[in-house]
Amino acid sequence: MPVEVQELPCREGHIGLLTLNSPDTLNALTEEMIIQAQEALDAWAEDDRICLVVLRGAGDRAFCAGGNIRTLYDALKGQGDAEAPARFFTREYRLDYSVHRFPKPVIGVAHGIVMGGGLGLLSACRYRLVTPDVTLAMPEISIGLFPDVGASWFLNRLPGRLGLFMGLTGARLNVSDALRVGLADLVIEPEQASALLSRLQDERWTGEAAADDNRLFRLLSQIEALDYRSLAAGHLEQHEQTIARLSAGDELPAVVDQLLSSRNEDPWWQACQQTLRQGSPVTAWLVWHQLQKGQQMSLKDIFRMELAMAQECTRRPDLVEGIRALLVDKDRSPVWSYPSVADVPEDVIERHFQPVWDDTDDPMGLD
C-alpha cells in the first residue's frame, strides 16, 4: 500500500500512524495516496481510541517530495482522464486542511526531501520534528505552478519577506534554516525518530485533546536535544538581510530585477537566482498576489483561493510545459507563455483568482 495505516496500542489509548510508503518516488503524493490518508484521518478524528497521530515517510531519502504531478501530465495534455488534475488538487488541499484542523495532536516526523506538498503536510502538523538531513523548499516556479498546499498561509508567516523569496527562487533551506525561521520545531536524530514511537506507546493517553497535547508537549521537551553547533551552517544567517532588502518594494518587476542583478559568489545564492531566471513569469506574479491576498484571509479561504489558482493553472499551457521540461523530456528548457514578468498581462493573472467560493459551493467541502 502506498500509504501504510497503523493503529499502535499504548498503555492507554492508541496512536494513529500514517506512513507515506512510496520511497521509489520520494513519497510523492498520488491521488490514491491522498485518498488513503484522508480516509484514515477521517476515521481517526471520530475514533475515541485514537489519541494522537504521527505522520512520517518511508525510505532513507524523503519525507515527501510533493505531489506526483508527473502522473497528471497526460491529462493536462488532453489525453486520458480530463478530470484528474482538478480532482487531485481538490483532494490534496482538503487533506492539508484536515491536518491543520485535526481535533487531536498531530506529529510530523520529516527527513530528507520535504518539498511542495511535503512541506504543506509538515506545516499543517501541530508538532514538526525534522532530522539533520532535511531540505525544505517550495520549487513550483520551475514547473509553472505556484507555492500551494497552504503556502499562502505559512509563507506569509516567515520573517523579512522570506516567503516571497522562497516562492520566487525555490530556495532550499537546510535544517538550521528551518529552525531559524520556525518551519520546524525540533531536530532529532533518525534513531530518535524510531525510539519516539516506543516512548509514545509507553504513555497513558486520555482521549482529551487538551490534556494529551499538554502531556505530548512535555514529553517532546524531554527529548535529548542535539548540539545545534554540530548542524550544518544555515544559508539564511548569511543572506536574510540581503533577502529582506532586495525583496522589498511595491512592484514585482523591480524586485525581480533587484534579485537577479545582485552579485554574490555563494553557490546557494546563485542557485536561487538561476531558478528565478529560468522560472515561469506567470508563477512569479501568482506568488506576488497570493501572498498579498493571503495576509487578510482565513485558512479556509486560503485553500479555496489556491484551488481556484490551481484549476486555472491546469487550463493554461505553462504547467504542462514545466512538467515536460523538468520531468518528461528533462531538458530543463521550458518555453513559457510570456518571456518575462513585465510581459504578463494583468487579466491573465486575475483569472487565477476566480471564482470566489464560500461555504455553499466550495468543492472541497471544508467545514
Side-chain angles (χ1 to χ4, degrees):
M1 296 289 282
V3 173
E4 187 176 358
V5 179
Q6 297 170 272
E7 296 178 357
L8 307 180
C10 305
R11 293 179 69 186
E12 288 185 16
H14 287 70
I15 298 167
L17 176 61
L18 271 183
T19 305
L20 305 178
N21 191 24
S22 182
D24 290 344
T25 63
L26 303 180
N27 298 319
L29 297 169
T30 61
E31 185 177 2
E32 179 187 7
M33 294 170 70
I34 293 167
I35 291 171
Q36 290 176 359
Q38 187 74 64
E39 288 176 346
L41 288 176
D42 288 347
W44 289 341
E46 303 296 328
D47 189 339
D48 291 339
R49 298 176 309 115
I50 302 298
C51 300
L52 52 128
V53 170
V54 176
L55 177 60
R56 66 181 184 179
D60 297 329
R61 296 187 293 164
F63 168 69
C64 175
N68 193 336
I69 54 171
R70 175 64 180 86
T71 62
L72 303 178
Y73 181 69
D74 289 342
L76 290 168
K77 289 186 64 180
Q79 304 164 5
D81 185 354
E83 301 300 319
R87 197 171 59 237
F88 174 86
F89 288 115
T90 300
R91 286 176 166 161
E92 184 184 22
Y93 297 175
R94 178 173 177 249
L95 176 64
D96 293 321
Y97 185 76
S98 297
V99 179
H100 274 282
R101 297 295 304 274
F102 201 71
K104 303 167 186 181
V106 181
I107 309 166
V109 183
H111 70 286
I113 296 172
V114 186
M115 295 186 183
L119 187 50
L121 283 175
L122 181 64
S123 295
C125 295
R126 176 79 168 92
Y127 297 98
R128 301 157 303 166
L129 281 57
V130 298
T131 55
D133 65 340
V134 78
T135 299
L136 279 57
M138 296 300 291
E140 289 81 2
I141 194 168
S142 295
I143 58 165
L145 192 58
F146 63 94
D148 59 340
V149 295
S152 308
W153 179 269
F154 62 80
L155 290 185
N156 256 331
R157 280 151 179 77
L158 301 181
R161 279 204 159 183
L162 176 61
L164 174 63
F165 180 81
M166 287 184 66
L168 291 177
T169 68
R172 297 191 174 200
L173 307 188
N174 67 14
V175 64
S176 296
D177 296 322
L179 288 172
R180 186 178 186 87
V181 300
L183 286 172
D185 301 309
L186 181 67
V187 183
I188 59 174
E189 294 285 7
E191 57 268 22
Q192 288 179 298
S194 301
L196 175 63
L197 286 175
S198 297
R199 181 70 182 85
L200 294 174
Q201 288 183 269
D202 285 339
E203 292 291 324
R204 299 181 185 275
W205 305 102
T206 67
E208 295 290 333
D212 287 340
D213 185 64
N214 186 48
R215 179 181 295 271
L216 177 58
F217 177 82
R218 294 200 311 269
L219 185 153
L220 294 175
S221 299
Q222 294 168 5
I223 293 177
E224 183 178 355
L226 290 177
D227 181 353
Y228 292 125
R229 294 170 298 182
S230 68
L231 299 175
H235 306 291
L236 296 179
E237 184 176 2
Q238 178 181 351
H239 296 294
E240 60 191 356
Q241 292 185 0
T242 301
I243 291 169
R245 175 172 56 83
L246 296 180
S247 301
D250 298 326
E251 301 291 339
L252 175 62
V255 170
V256 170
D257 287 344
Q258 288 167 184
L259 289 169
L260 291 179
S261 61
S262 172
R263 295 185 177 275
N264 194 304
E265 298 303 315
D266 185 346
W268 180 84
W269 184 266
Q270 293 180 349
C272 291
Q273 288 180 310
Q274 185 71 357
T275 299
L276 173 57
R277 186 176 292 110
Q278 295 183 339
S280 164
V282 170
T283 295
W285 278 111
L286 296 183
V287 175
W288 182 260
H289 285 290
Q290 74 180 106
L291 293 181
Q292 290 181 347
K293 293 175 182 293
Q295 289 177 355
Q296 306 300 325
M297 284 185 171
S298 68
L299 181 65
K300 182 192 299 185
D301 286 335
I302 275 175
F303 277 107
R304 289 170 174 164
M305 175 184 73
E306 291 185 357
L307 182 59
M309 295 170 68
Q311 291 194 355
E312 179 63 16
C313 286
T314 67
R315 293 188 281 265
R316 296 195 67 262
D318 284 351
L319 179 56
V320 69
E321 172 63 6
I323 297 172
R324 179 207 65 77
L326 186 67
L327 300 173
V328 181
D329 297 336
K330 301 182 181 179
D331 57 31
R332 295 183 176 268
S333 298
V335 180
W336 303 120
S337 53
Y338 301 98
S340 74
V341 293
D343 295 304
V344 180
E346 186 175 342
D347 66 298
V348 169
I349 303 305
E350 288 177 351
R351 285 198 293 271
H352 289 78
F353 295 93
Q354 301 293 331
V356 180
W357 288 304
D358 59 26
D359 289 345
T360 65
D361 57 2
D362 169 10
M364 292 174 287
L366 302 185
D367 298 324

